[in-house]
Amino acid sequence: MILQRISLLNYKNIAEASFDLSAKINCFIGNNGEGKTNLLDAIYFLSFCKSHSNAIDSQVIRHNEDFFLLEGNYLSDTNDEEIISCGLKRGTKKIIRRNKKAYRRLSEHIGLIPLIMVSPSDISLIEGGSEERRRLMDVVISQFDNTYIDTLNRYNKALASRNAMLKADAEPDETLMGLLEEEMAQQGEIIYKKRKTLVEQIEPLFQQVYNIISGEQEKVSLNYISHCQRGNLLNVIQRDRMKDRIMGYSLHGTHRDDLEFLLDNYQMKREGSQGQNKTFVIALKLAQFELLSRGQSTDSTNYGQRRETPILLLDDIFDKLDSHRVEQIVGLVSGDRYGQIFITDTNRDHLDCILKASSNEYRLFMVENGTITLKEERHV
């Protein structure tokens, strides 16, 4: 998938912008706080119907404005044109349209425009709680499988209802509690199988990319942990019901899953340096790109289905990396392995290295106080 043109109105600090893009490499240079990341966030919004960095939609509306609008003109791998628009007015519900037709459910859009974003905030995957790593798995799977979000929603709805009953002063109704636990177990088993398959597929790709970037200096691995590994999930959930009642929430289920990040078989969060941590998350995201672009699936009935080439967003990825690792990443992203790439940096030297190493076309933009100006381009 190629984003040919993007238009923004009142998105974060970008008052208004509309410009054409290169089908290969798009670079955005500027100081911190000028709007480079905000532009990438808008592209992310067009794929996922939400911001990468703001959980509350209204927070992306420019200060002192009442609404925001985004529109992207895309060209698919089969040369089909797609126009995606997103809009939100304060106090109302956001509307996402595909070719001027509004979606009834936003989940229908996820996966149409596959996208991987690498950003400094990815360090939370290592340093943050397990919910960050579950979200990582879920975002990738949802781009393969348009039923996965519905499965997650059904599980979370049953979980929320069970937790409400556990917290209530009145003794829970046994029949209703049992039905909710059955729903959690049924949906949870599906979630577990898809996450397990994802980790099995992505780990060798991740290790391969990490070895390239690091020069095979360290050994990295992934370890998926789930209560489903203890046996039948319904039995696992039900046998500690009394303890759950005391605590006031559900102690077992796929909402407690985790993905361990290991460096030489030790916890990455305890052993990794800043450069190793950065290498780890970059390699993991690039492995996600590789998995999506291969058209694999976490549903064994869908292996080999053709998928759109993902868009790759690289936001300030070179900070805290030594020269060798920077050189290896430059070699990776400047080749023909990836489709359309968006790169931001405050350091023009990094971008020049990528552009010199690549024979592909590019466009280089300057970003100053929310204003985006084309400064340089190369046609092939």
Side-chain angles (χ1 to χ4, degrees):
M1 188 70 79
I2 300 297
L3 177 57
Q4 297 180 303
R5 183 176 180 82
I6 188 170
S7 300
L8 308 89
L9 185 62
N10 298 331
Y11 195 86
K12 296 193 174 183
N13 78 323
I14 302 173
E16 186 174 3
S18 186
F19 50 94
D20 296 323
L21 295 156
S22 166
K24 290 302 294 182
I25 300 176
N26 297 276
C27 298
F28 299 88
I29 187 77
N31 295 326
N32 293 324
E34 300 291 343
K36 303 184 305 298
T37 300
N38 293 343
L39 173 62
L40 297 195
D41 193 65
I43 298 171
Y44 184 95
F45 206 115
L46 287 167
S47 281
F48 292 102
C49 308
K50 63 180 181 180
S51 166
H52 181 264
S53 56
N54 294 84
I56 301 173
D57 290 329
S58 60
Q59 291 180 349
V60 306
I61 300 175
R62 191 165 181 257
H63 294 318
N64 302 317
E65 298 293 344
D66 293 327
F67 68 96
F68 83 83
L69 288 173
L70 299 175
E71 183 171 280
N73 296 71
Y74 294 85
L75 187 67
S76 74
D77 291 355
T78 54
N79 291 320
D80 294 321
E81 295 183 353
E82 299 278 0
I83 300 176
I84 306 300
S85 61
C86 307
L88 174 67
K89 186 176 180 179
R90 293 191 191 275
T92 65
K93 191 176 181 180
K94 65 186 169 187
I95 298 176
I96 315 295
R97 289 186 171 89
R98 177 184 179 186
N99 299 324
K100 299 184 179 180
K101 183 178 179 180
Y103 285 101
R104 287 183 296 176
R105 296 188 305 166
L106 298 184
S107 60
E108 297 172 1
H109 178 66
I110 308 304
L112 176 69
I113 307 168
L115 180 146
I116 298 294
M117 182 166 182
V118 186
S119 79
S121 65
D122 290 334
I123 195 64
S124 64
L125 293 169
I126 295 174
E127 298 176 349
S130 59
E131 68 275 5
E132 299 286 345
R133 294 177 286 278
R134 287 192 297 274
R135 188 179 301 115
L136 172 78
M137 293 186 283
D138 294 342
V139 166
V140 180
I141 297 171
S142 65
Q143 294 187 79
F144 281 126
D145 186 345
N146 55 17
T147 68
Y148 186 70
I149 294 176
D150 290 336
T151 302
L152 277 176
N153 288 339
R154 286 193 291 270
Y155 178 89
N156 290 330
K157 185 177 179 179
L159 172 65
S161 297
R162 185 177 191 266
N163 284 345
M165 294 181 70
L166 292 170
K167 292 176 184 177
D169 294 334
E171 198 62 28
D173 179 270
E174 288 284 331
T175 302
L176 180 55
M177 179 68 79
L179 290 172
L180 292 172
E181 291 168 344
E182 288 175 8
E183 178 74 354
M184 284 178 60
Q186 181 180 352
Q187 306 306 325
E189 292 282 2
I190 296 171
I191 293 167
Y192 166 69
K193 289 175 183 177
K194 292 182 183 295
R195 288 175 177 172
K196 180 174 180 289
T197 301
L198 171 69
V199 175
E200 291 172 349
Q201 290 176 351
I202 204 170
E203 184 175 38
L205 301 174
F206 158 63
Q207 291 170 331
Q208 181 182 19
V209 177
Y210 190 96
N211 286 339
I212 291 172
I213 297 174
S214 69
E216 301 187 12
Q217 292 298 306
E218 309 99 20
K219 178 183 177 182
V220 291
S221 56
L222 305 171
N223 181 36
Y224 176 39
I225 301 170
S226 176
H227 290 143
C228 289
Q229 295 159 343
R230 300 181 182 182
N232 180 276
L233 184 56
L234 181 59
N235 293 337
V236 173
I237 293 171
Q238 289 182 334
R239 67 178 172 226
D240 276 335
R241 186 190 287 178
M242 293 305 297
K243 186 183 293 184
D244 291 357
R245 177 76 168 132
I246 294 170
M247 298 299 294
Y249 57 88
S250 302
L251 292 167
H252 297 92
T254 50
H255 62 288
R256 311 280 288 188
D257 285 2
D258 201 356
L259 183 62
E260 284 188 324
F261 294 165
L262 302 174
L263 176 69
D264 294 327
N265 293 321
Y266 293 98
Q267 290 285 343
M268 191 77 196
K269 66 173 65 178
R270 299 192 186 100
E271 298 293 323
S273 66
Q274 288 185 323
Q276 288 170 328
N277 288 345
K278 191 74 175 281
T279 304
F280 196 102
V281 295
I282 290 173
L284 190 56
K285 289 296 188 77
L286 294 182
Q288 290 176 35
F289 179 97
E290 188 73 26
L291 190 67
L292 284 170
S293 63
R294 288 185 178 191
Q296 288 180 287
S297 171
T298 51
D299 181 347
S300 60
T301 64
N302 289 330
Y303 285 122
Q305 279 193 349
R306 182 71 179 104
R307 300 281 174 173
E308 290 290 322
T309 303
I311 294 171
L312 182 61
L313 310 183
L314 305 175
D315 186 23
D316 191 22
I317 65 169
F318 297 110
D319 185 41
K320 297 182 175 64
L321 294 176
D322 60 44
S323 59
H324 171 79
R325 296 183 189 225
V326 169
E327 182 180 350
Q328 295 306 310
I329 293 172
V330 167
L332 281 172
V333 302
S334 61
D336 294 326
R337 186 180 193 134
Y338 301 99
Q340 188 180 33
I341 305 175
F342 294 79
I343 310 172
T344 72
D345 208 301
T346 58
N347 187 333
R348 175 68 190 261
D349 293 340
H350 291 152
L351 299 181
D352 283 341
C353 287
I354 293 172
L355 299 179
K356 288 177 182 177
S358 173
S359 59
N360 290 314
E361 65 174 79
Y362 71 82
R363 288 194 170 199
L364 188 145
F365 299 85
M366 177 67 69
V367 184
E368 295 178 292
N369 195 27
T371 299
I372 302 162
T373 308
L374 176 65
K375 289 295 184 182
E376 189 176 306
E377 61 184 323
R378 177 172 70 200
H379 297 285
V380 178

